[in-house]
Amino acid sequence: MAQSAITELYKQDKTPTYEQVINYYAEKAAQYPFISMRAEGLTDAFQPLHLVLFDTEGKTSAEQARAAGKTIILINNGIHPGEPDGIDACIQFTEAYINDTAFRAQCKDLLICIIPVYNIGGALNRGSYSRANQNGPQAYGFRGNAQNYDLNRDFMKCDSYNALAFARIFRQIDPDVFIDTHVSNGADYSYVMTIIPTQKDKLQEPLGTYLEYDMMPALYAGMEKAGFPMCPYVNEIDKTPDNGIAGFLDLARYSTGYTSLYQTIGFMPETHMLKPYEQRVASTIAFIHCCISFAAEHGEELQEKRKEAMQNIRLANTMDLNWELDMGTHYDFLFSGYAAKYKPSAVSGLDRLYYDRNEPYTKNIPVYDHYIPSKQIICPKAYIVPRAWHDVVERLGANNVRYRTLEQDSLVEVEMYHIDDVESSETPYEGHYYHKKVVVTKYSDSILFRRGDLYIDLDQPAKRYIIEALEPEAPDSFFAWGMFDAILMQKEWFSDYVFEDLAAEILEKDPALQKQLEDKRASDPAFAADAWEQLRFVYERSVYYEPTYRRYPVGRVVK
């Protein structure tokens, strides 16, 4: 297929294959000095993850661009290859950058970076039926990657090579603005484009306020002017949008939640699944251009707000770990929707929901987009991570976390966590029995850490990431994703007939423990009737009980 024909595919309800996309960018990078392309690590499909850079002065690194004072934008496409709108939109952006000298001049103070196709394995798994609710294109990729992971749940746990490569790219580029292109499911309404911005309450000030009151109004106005009025992502409070929508809580597993850990403003443009493919691509092009226009005009201000936020993070003594939606606070949004109705189902005969496009409406609906911190911790000075947990070490390294290694075995006074309780999923979620409702007890102790263990000082740009990765109560911590599960299994036990005599000696030497045992027997008849449980009671309170069982192995240095 001729390269020029690729630019017209979306108008024919088609999207290019992975090979066609990469060949297109390779050709453009060879032709034009202001476009460069390089491979940045392998993916699960054992194909390299490509990065394309656009700079009017031919700068080929973020370091060069940052030294020149440029604002940096990173666009990620094809994380769900069944939602290829951004793949085609970025080809259109490239054509405009090449052929429209006025547009290219507008971008002179920007470095624009594009990942043409992120989920390569999913893009290669091409078909026409996996998106049952979507109106085109005719053929497209699959949501799962080569390992069948949903990559937009993988940014913290990094099970995929894709996510590890992305983390290295992201930390190298350190973008001011991030765009991750998608297509939505859900209700029917008039909008071609909906938007999930980084959850403002998760950004450090002044960046959250700047996003809410400066950048978002400009993007809404720009999309209106472009002929694609935009609305917040339709995350219904109830079954239909009529009763209101909730702001999306982009936890760190999601792309924009991950980027917010580094105070990068992220956007997840979600085009509407039922709109024609040509319209969806056009609206994505418009959104990209609106972001570019804002960054070109306000880049210096944006960079300054981000620097202030990063400095405030580094100075913060406390950190929010989780959030709850504030149902007492909302704003009204003038929403253009379709009447939600019910009629008998041709399948079940029971009532089914449908949206009547013959009855459009425009009315104010409440948008609940304020989140309140529900968990906060006091920041330690540093963490110590035993090097034995190499999966964790690998992920910290991919995120360019700075650390030193202990030069010798050292007894260190630290705060430790005991995992008192945890609720785990009954079936795997994205490859893990995910942990939630983690309950811990914090205590001080002198712990022997070994030569080579990682000492991670928090005075660094990755501070927020480190805390959310290593605090076990954080919703996307490494503990939550099961990377420390070995501590949840006791390794040593006792033989009851042997331990009987030893337990008697223990009780004779420890009258307080004898009293605890008697009180427990008196208050719990089932316990009093169970000899083994009484032995276990003594064992768990003796020096023979293993101290590392349920002891979270990461130490918090507070002095």
Side-chain angles (χ1 to χ4, degrees), residues 180-192:
D180 192 21
T181 57
H182 286 256
V183 180
S184 74
N185 287 305
D188 195 8
Y189 40 79
S190 68
Y191 303 93
V192 180

Side-chain angles (χ1 to χ4, degrees), residues 336-357:
S336 296
Y338 303 119
K341 297 181 179 180
Y342 292 87
K343 63 183 178 181
S345 166
V347 177
S348 67
L350 303 174
D351 280 351
R352 51 146 292 189
L353 172 68
Y354 75 101
Y355 290 89
D356 190 345
R357 290 193 172 187

Side-chain angles (χ1 to χ4, degrees), residues 504-537:
E505 290 180 19
I506 292 170
L507 291 172
E508 184 178 354
K509 295 177 181 178
D510 191 345
L513 181 56
Q514 177 72 58
K515 178 67 164 56
Q516 291 178 39
L517 177 63
E518 292 170 357
D519 291 346
K520 176 70 172 173
R521 280 198 295 254
S523 64
D524 189 340
F527 177 79
D530 193 323
W532 194 89
E533 282 296 324
Q534 293 183 55
L535 285 174
R536 188 172 83 163
F537 184 90

Side-chain angles (χ1 to χ4, degrees), residues 6 44 93 301 443 501 515:
I6 288 180
D44 284 0
F93 156 79
E301 183 181 36
Y443 63 96
D501 296 331
K515 178 67 164 56

Side-chain angles (χ1 to χ4, degrees), residues 7 85 109 116 145 175 199 232 290 305 338 364 373 375 385 551:
T7 65
D85 305 25
D109 293 325
N145 87 325
Q199 174 48 239
C290 285
K305 298 294 183 186
Y338 303 119
N364 281 321
K375 179 65 182 179
V385 178
R551 186 180 76 186

Side-chain angles (χ1 to χ4, degrees), residues 26-257:
E27 179 184 282
K28 300 306 179 187
Q31 286 181 319
Y32 299 100
F34 44 74
I35 302 176
S36 61
M37 183 170 79
R38 60 177 184 256
E40 294 279 358
L42 283 178
T43 65
D44 284 0
F46 281 84
Q47 299 277 357
L49 188 63
H50 288 94
L51 182 69
V52 185
L53 295 89
F54 297 79
D55 186 279
T56 57
E57 298 169 344
K59 298 187 185 304
T60 58
S61 74
E63 186 179 13
Q64 291 174 330
R66 194 64 83 187
K70 299 198 175 194
T71 302
I72 301 176
I73 298 174
L74 173 61
I75 305 172
N76 189 44
N77 295 313
I79 191 170
H80 298 150
E83 307 168 19
D85 305 25
I87 294 173
D88 284 284
C90 281
I91 288 173
Q92 297 305 307
F93 156 79
T94 303
E95 291 294 309
Y97 197 91
I98 292 169
N99 298 309
D100 187 338
T101 54
F103 176 61
R104 193 163 69 247
Q106 183 188 24
C107 300
K108 66 181 177 64
D109 293 325
L110 307 177
L111 172 66
I112 300 168
C113 309
I114 294 176
I115 296 175
V117 182
Y118 179 48
N119 181 356
I120 298 169
L124 295 173
N125 186 9
R126 196 171 169 93
S128 300
Y129 303 107
S130 62
R131 299 281 292 179
N133 299 326
Q134 188 167 290
N135 181 11
Q138 295 174 23
Y140 42 80
F142 182 66
R143 188 180 187 92
N145 87 325
Q147 287 196 77
N148 206 36
Y149 283 120
D150 184 334
L151 293 180
N152 204 27
R153 310 292 185 272
D154 198 38
F155 284 92
M156 278 295 283
K157 61 186 178 69
C158 286
D159 285 323
S160 65
Y161 285 166
N162 304 61
L164 289 169
F166 180 91
R168 294 184 182 102
I169 289 171
F170 182 82
R171 295 294 286 123
Q172 174 194 117
I173 291 174
D174 190 27
D176 302 294
V177 177
F178 172 72
I179 303 170
D180 192 21
T181 57
H182 286 256
V183 180
S184 74
N185 287 305
D188 195 8
Y189 40 79
S190 68
Y191 303 93
V192 180
M193 175 64 74
T194 68
I195 187 65
I196 301 175
T198 296
Q199 174 48 239
K200 59 185 175 59
D201 300 304
K202 289 178 60 188
L203 288 172
Q204 185 71 25
E205 290 299 347
L207 202 57
T209 296
Y210 185 73
L211 170 64
E212 183 178 12
Y213 294 107
D214 292 86
M215 194 167 187
M216 288 307 300
L219 295 181
Y220 273 101
M223 289 296 285
E224 183 84 31
K225 185 177 180 181
F228 290 103
M230 187 168 63
C231 82
Y233 176 69
V234 182
N235 186 24
E236 304 96 334
I237 294 290
D238 205 348
K239 194 170 180 63
T240 68
D242 303 61
N243 295 321
I245 56 181
F248 188 77
L249 182 61
D250 52 351
L251 298 174
R253 71 191 65 171
Y254 303 111
S255 61
T256 55

Side-chain angles (χ1 to χ4, degrees), residues 359-407:
E359 289 192 28
Y361 68 79
T362 300
K363 66 179 180 183
N364 281 321
I365 63 170
V367 177
Y368 301 88
D369 73 337
H370 179 52
Y371 278 83
I372 303 171
S374 61
K375 179 65 182 179
Q376 189 178 77
I377 58 106
I378 297 174
C379 301
K381 175 185 176 184
Y383 291 97
I384 302 179
V385 178
R387 63 178 176 174
W389 301 93
H390 46 82
D391 285 349
V392 169
V393 174
E394 180 183 27
R395 286 152 178 78
L396 296 173
N399 278 272
N400 198 24
V401 170
R402 298 199 297 257
Y403 60 82
R404 63 177 174 87
T405 55
L406 299 184
E407 296 180 356

